[in-house]
């Protein structure tokens, strides 16, 4: 959502994530900057030393670089709000029908 609204030059790419003994494959259309941020985040997730992963902002031993953490937080804040509005709009449309 963030990349689509804020950036240009997106390219489709396939991703495969292995986490907690589950494999997920999906396709995303992202710009180079967002692709790099996603790869960084996935790497941090794979290398998290905790058995049960805590929320990053409450972690006693944060593994994100400060600037990358701020970038991810900005992206998540924007996307979360936007996705919330989409959900509200969908529920409203269902009420009208």
């Amino acid at each position: 959502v963030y990349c689509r609204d804020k950036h240009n030059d997106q390219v489709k790419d396939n991703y495969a994530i292995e986490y907690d003994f589950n494999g997920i494959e999906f396709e995303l259309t992202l710009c180079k900057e967002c692709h790099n941020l996603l790869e960084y985040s996935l790497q941090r997730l794979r290398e998290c030393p905790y058995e049960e992963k805590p929320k990053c902002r409450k972690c006693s031993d944060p593994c994100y670089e400060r600037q990358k953490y701020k970038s991810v937080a900005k992206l998540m804040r924007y996307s979360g709000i936007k996705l919330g509005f989409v959900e509200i709009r969908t529920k409203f449309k269902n009420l009208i029908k």
Side-chain angles (χ1 to χ4, degrees):
V1 171
Y2 181 85
C3 187
R4 182 188 66 218
D5 289 356
K6 302 283 186 177
H7 300 140
N8 297 320
D9 301 328
Q10 289 98 353
V11 177
K12 275 188 183 178
D13 206 353
N14 292 314
Y15 295 88
I17 300 173
E18 191 79 29
Y19 180 71
D20 200 24
F21 304 108
N22 293 315
I24 302 169
E25 292 183 22
F26 55 96
E27 183 178 88
L28 287 176
T29 303
L30 299 173
C31 68
K32 189 68 174 166
E33 179 185 341
C34 289
H35 167 78
N36 291 339
L37 195 57
L38 176 62
E39 287 293 327
Y40 179 81
S41 297
L42 294 175
Q43 185 65 28
R44 299 291 95 207
L45 181 62
R46 282 190 290 274
E47 293 179 7
C48 183
Y50 297 101
E51 180 86 19
E52 199 169 304
K53 183 167 175 10
K55 292 182 180 179
C56 292
R57 69 173 170 256
K58 293 184 178 184
C59 186
S60 60
D61 185 26
C63 59
Y64 273 74
E65 296 171 15
R66 189 89 174 137
Q67 189 57 42
K68 299 252 186 183
Y69 179 82
K70 286 181 178 182
S71 296
V72 170
K74 178 180 167 184
L75 184 148
M76 301 268 295
R77 194 169 34 253
Y78 178 89
S79 298
I81 291 170
K82 188 104 178 199
L83 290 171
F85 285 137
V86 168
E87 186 176 320
I88 290 169
R89 184 177 63 204
T90 302
K91 287 181 180 182
F92 185 71
K93 283 182 179 179
N94 288 338
L95 283 174
I96 292 173
K97 290 180 182 178

